[in-house]
Amino acid sequence: MSHGNINNITARLNAARRVAIFGGTHGNEMSGVTLVNLWMQNSAEIQRRGVEIQPFITNPKAVEKCVRYVDTDLNRAFTQENLSVTGGDELPYEVQRAQEINRMFGPKGSADAYDVIFDLHNTTSNMGCTLILESSKDAFNLQMMNYIKKAFAPASCLVLLNEHPLLKYSTSRSVAKHPVGLEVGPQPQGVLRSNIFEAMRVILKHALDFIELFNEGMEFPACSVEVFRVLERMDYPRDANGNIIAMVHPNLQDCDWEPLNPGDPMFQTFDGKSIHYQGPSTVYPTFINEAAYYEKQQAFVTTRRENLLASAIRKA
Amino acid sequence: MERAAIPPISSVAVCGGTHGNELTGVYIVREMQKQKLEKVGSVSITPVLTNPKALDVGRRYTEMDLNRCFTDALLSSPITESTPYELRRAQELNAQLGPKGSAEAVDLLIDLHNTTANMGLCLIFYSIDWITLHIYKYLQNKMSSIPVRAIQVAVPASDAYSLESVGKHGFAIEVGPQPNGVLRADIFNMVKEAVELTLAWLQEFNSGHTFEGSTVEAYTLVKSVDYPRDPAGKITAAIHQDLQDNDFKLLRSGDPIFLTFSGETLKYEGEDLYPFFVNECAYYEKKIAFHLAQKKTYTFPSISVKKD
């Protein structure tokens, strides 16, 4: 695919003919599990002209047990090493699954890979509706996200960009040419909230509409998309044994996407003392107090706001 | 009502982690253990993490729900190789903090829980106990940061299945909403306050203070409602937005309760009742979308400590 000069040239990109919708990558994130199961029974709602759209449960064992994962986090498992290692049944369940998914929807990085994969997630953080982007140079995805944001307005749908060389991870969706994460919260693990479910459903509807319009030849002019770029992972303060010794401060709890200024309260110890943010400048925290991240040493991530320019695109 | 004289409350067990993913109690107990808190004035305190295996794996339970293991029948059932971990644990806890129904049992057992439902702070107890009602009233008066309510589960002692039934007096403190596996500072602070207020009340009680009788409202469980399901048993609807987060708001016939995945609104039919444990994560497998309760008023007498 060409990435033309963003100012003048319309990038001509291939039509998106093969699209997948992943649910249950984490077996206890219920919106995606429920939506994909629904669409596997009756796909009328997700059908669009000119594109094959496949709903798929990526981690059925975890879904059955209603846990995030069985052996290892599937959404971290798609490393080149995991995808090529031999071992069959001896491998951790999720590594086996990653290899299977890579066969079905990849191979990752090849011309045969699916065009777009939407991976449906929930978070216990108060992030609202968030789209997760893995590359700032993916004009197709940027244009899609711009389209979704406008269609969803006045309700908010923000874009999180995780391109950080160290913090970026190998997601299920990364086997596709254009990986798109959908993260909606707050919702407890194992719980299905109607408002969260319906919001995710609407976002996906707009995403599929975009693909259909693009495939039919619509040109999307150059645009600017506001994104929040991942900067840093902040862990809980811990003691020498690795036990947490403070909680996300009540002033920071639920304040995803709001500015955190140097000197603002960040953590609170069990006896009520505040620990303050010492960074050099204002950041925008997100994934604040996500249940699954305690074990990944993450209380929240910091981001900075950026505007990315996407070139105009049209089907080749 | 005549004033009641009640023996002193000298021993208190504060329990956390009965469900290993309900974190407030876990951290309250861990802090007490770290501070080596053994005595507060006239009250000796035993902080206990009740389900360490579940805590280790961050699950509600490993083999069976610990908080359903405390019926008389289960506590006296013989232990074999196939006895689930939680049932063994229940019998260990009964030996440590009970035995249930005996003179050796701890005077007061407080079990700390969280729920994903928007229930605020609830005291949950089996029997109408003057001590519990006085503490409830005390917490209601003193705590302004969160609604404080009480739920009575009317079941005879022998059938009482949860941990707090082991103490001579006992109640659970259930606080939400908090997701499993998450520790919220605001919830932690409120439960810490509730435990400290309870201990303060016990000091005053033990030292001879008379607490005036009064009335309180509490909710008693009437029945439960399951999710609509398909022939394969899969749920076909979510709790309706009008009901979600509206625990303890009166539900009347005709009020929406579910929104099916195909967009149909399902309505409640029945007597006016109060819903609670609305969309509690752990209850999907117990086939409960929400419980329904009646509100009752309880009158309780003045009490003071019985002097020998």
Side-chain angles (χ1 to χ4, degrees):
Chain A
M1 287 204 191
S2 62
H3 305 289
N5 179 314
I6 53 169
N7 293 316
N8 295 320
I9 298 175
T10 300
R12 308 281 248 162
L13 308 175
N14 293 331
R17 296 293 178 207
R18 291 187 314 153
V19 171
I21 303 174
F22 285 175
T25 295
H26 295 135
N28 54 11
E29 294 176 13
M30 302 307 293
S31 303
V33 171
T34 308
L35 282 170
V36 166
N37 278 333
L38 203 66
W39 291 330
M40 284 172 73
Q41 272 188 335
N42 182 351
S43 64
E45 191 180 330
I46 55 169
Q47 278 169 13
R48 297 292 189 280
R49 285 180 299 258
V51 55
E52 168 205 313
I53 299 177
Q54 189 180 348
F56 185 76
I57 295 284
T58 46
N59 197 339
K61 268 200 188 170
V63 169
E64 203 195 304
K65 294 178 168 205
C66 199
V67 291
R68 181 177 175 87
Y69 58 82
V70 171
D71 292 329
T72 185
D73 193 333
L74 182 61
N75 215 30
R76 303 289 185 277
F78 287 75
T79 59
Q80 283 308 327
E81 189 192 330
N82 277 351
L83 294 180
S84 52
V85 72
T86 51
D89 289 349
E90 307 287 298
L91 294 172
Y93 172 71
E94 278 86 5
V95 174
Q96 294 181 45
R97 276 312 281 169
Q99 293 187 353
E100 177 66 14
I101 289 164
N102 193 41
R103 270 190 289 277
M104 293 176 70
F105 299 98
K108 179 169 169 175
S110 78
D112 293 332
Y114 264 56
D115 298 302
V116 186
I117 294 179
F118 297 102
D119 194 16
L120 307 184
H121 288 267
N122 293 118
T123 174
T124 58
S125 305
N126 188 26
M127 287 169 73
C129 296
T130 304
L131 297 166
I132 306 186
L133 183 64
E134 299 191 1
S135 162
S136 58
K137 303 192 174 28
D138 189 335
F140 181 83
N141 270 358
L142 279 167
Q143 287 282 3
M144 182 199 296
M145 293 182 182
N146 183 56
Y147 177 89
I148 293 170
K149 283 163 70 92
K150 293 205 151 70
F152 200 61
S156 159
C157 185
L158 299 177
V159 177
L160 178 68
L161 169 65
N162 193 355
E163 204 173 39
H164 191 293
L166 298 174
L167 298 181
K168 189 176 174 138
Y169 45 83
S170 304
T171 55
S172 305
R173 55 190 180 266
S174 68
V175 306
K177 296 180 181 129
H178 302 288
V180 180
L182 266 71
E183 186 88 55
V184 187
Q187 179 171 270
Q189 297 166 342
V191 165
L192 183 70
R193 285 182 67 100
S194 184
N195 61 334
I196 302 280
F197 173 82
E198 297 295 340
M200 190 178 275
R201 201 175 192 172
V202 169
I203 291 175
L204 223 15
K205 172 202 156 348
H206 293 317
L208 298 181
D209 288 346
F210 169 85
I211 291 174
E212 186 176 61
L213 289 169
F214 176 80
N215 285 351
E216 295 189 328
M218 180 179 281
E219 171 155 341
F220 293 86
C223 66
S224 170
V225 186
E226 183 185 62
V227 306
F228 290 80
R229 181 190 285 272
V230 170
L231 291 177
E232 194 182 5
R233 172 176 67 205
M234 302 291 284
D235 190 14
Y236 293 93
R238 293 173 190 268
D239 64 19
N241 296 323
N243 297 315
I244 70 171
I245 55 173
M247 310 168 277
V248 170
H249 196 281
N251 287 16
L252 178 58
Q253 178 69 50
D254 302 334
C255 293
D256 300 67
W257 313 115
E258 291 175 35
L260 180 69
N261 305 305
D264 285 351
M266 191 170 54
F267 296 110
Q268 186 180 76
T269 64
F270 297 121
D271 55 1
K273 290 200 257 299
S274 288
I275 298 172
H276 300 263
Y277 178 59
Q278 304 287 352
S281 55
T282 296
V283 291
Y284 295 83
T286 193
F287 273 122
I288 299 173
N289 208 347
E290 158 55 52
Y293 290 170
Y294 284 56
E295 70 175 21
K296 299 197 201 294
Q297 278 85 52
Q298 183 176 308
F300 60 95
V301 290
T302 59
T303 70
R304 70 159 181 262
R305 292 168 84 152
E306 261 181 48
N307 283 303
L308 295 183
L309 297 177
S311 61
I313 63 171
R314 197 161 105 189
K315 183 183 76 163
Chain B
M1 260 178 170
E2 292 245 332
R3 185 206 295 193
I6 300 181
I9 310 267
S10 319
S11 58
V12 178
V14 178
C15 301
T18 297
H19 295 133
N21 52 13
E22 295 176 17
L23 294 190
T24 307
V26 170
Y27 283 90
I28 297 264
V29 166
R30 276 188 176 154
E31 274 309 288
M32 287 180 154
Q33 290 174 335
K34 237 198 266 183
Q35 317 286 348
K36 300 203 195 314
L37 195 68
E38 281 168 14
K39 211 159 166 65
V40 174
S42 55
V43 179
S44 77
I45 307 200
T46 310
V48 187
L49 285 177
T50 52
N51 197 340
K53 268 201 183 172
L55 179 51
D56 265 347
V57 293
R59 306 287 307 274
R60 179 179 176 86
Y61 58 82
T62 62
E63 293 175 81
M64 77 184 276
D65 190 332
L66 176 59
N67 217 26
R68 299 292 181 276
C69 288
F70 292 89
T71 62
D72 287 9
L74 286 172
L75 287 178
S76 55
S77 63
I79 302 278
T80 67
E81 282 197 355
S82 59
T83 301
Y85 166 74
E86 275 86 5
L87 191 41
R88 289 170 203 264
R89 220 16 223 148
Q91 296 195 3
E92 274 171 33
L93 289 163
N94 191 42
Q96 181 190 357
L97 304 174
K100 176 179 170 186
S102 78
E104 286 76 46
V106 70
D107 292 324
L108 175 60
L109 196 157
I110 302 172
D111 193 20
L112 304 178
H113 285 264
N114 293 116
T115 173
T116 56
N118 186 26
M119 285 170 64
L121 191 149
C122 287
L123 300 195
I124 306 184
F125 47 83
Y126 288 104
S127 53
I128 307 305
D129 174 309
W130 304 147
I131 294 282
T132 303
L133 291 182
H134 270 278
I135 292 174
Y136 166 39
K137 188 82 184 176
Y138 187 74
L139 292 183
Q140 235 184 13
N141 287 341
K142 296 278 190 182
M143 292 189 70
S144 52
S145 51
I146 191 172
V148 176
R149 299 184 183 91
I151 298 170
Q152 193 224 350
V153 179
V155 140
S158 59
D159 296 335
Y161 47 77
S162 49
L163 172 58
E164 71 272 13
S165 65
V166 170
K168 292 198 188 78
H169 307 274
F171 52 85
I173 297 182
E174 180 90 54
V175 187
Q178 180 170 272
N180 293 340
V182 165
L183 181 67
R184 286 183 66 102
D186 53 0
I187 303 255
F188 177 89
N189 293 337
M190 289 189 278
V191 175
K192 184 163 177 242
E193 188 188 353
V195 171
E196 285 168 356
L197 285 169
T198 301
L199 295 175
W201 186 92
L202 292 174
Q203 297 306 318
E204 274 194 79
F205 173 76
N206 288 343
S207 64
H209 181 90
T210 299
F211 288 92
E212 291 305 314
S214 185
T215 59
V216 271
E217 281 182 334
Y219 296 86
T220 52
L221 174 64
V222 170
K223 63 181 177 185
S224 313
V225 176
D226 189 14
Y227 292 93
R229 292 172 189 269
D230 67 17
K234 292 232 142 58
I235 70 173
T236 56
I239 299 273
H240 195 278
Q241 281 177 202
D242 286 6
L243 175 58
Q244 179 69 54
D245 303 332
N246 279 321
D247 300 65
F248 302 110
K249 183 171 167 215
L250 187 65
L251 192 66
R252 303 192 142 106
S253 271
D255 288 345
I257 48 175
F258 296 111
L259 179 66
T260 70
F261 304 142
S262 52
E264 193 193 337
T265 296
L266 302 179
K267 298 183 177 164
Y268 174 64
E269 311 260 328
E271 50 172 315
D272 290 0
L273 289 171
Y274 296 88
F276 66 101
F277 277 125
V278 175
N279 209 349
E280 160 53 50
C281 169
Y283 289 176
Y284 283 59
E285 72 175 19
K286 298 194 202 294
K287 312 246 188 297
I288 297 166
F290 54 95
H291 282 314
L292 287 168
Q294 271 171 0
K295 202 165 28 169
K296 281 194 180 162
T297 304
Y298 295 99
T299 306
F300 51 95
S302 301
I303 58 170
S304 58
V305 73
K306 184 189 239 177
K307 295 184 167 49
D308 294 321

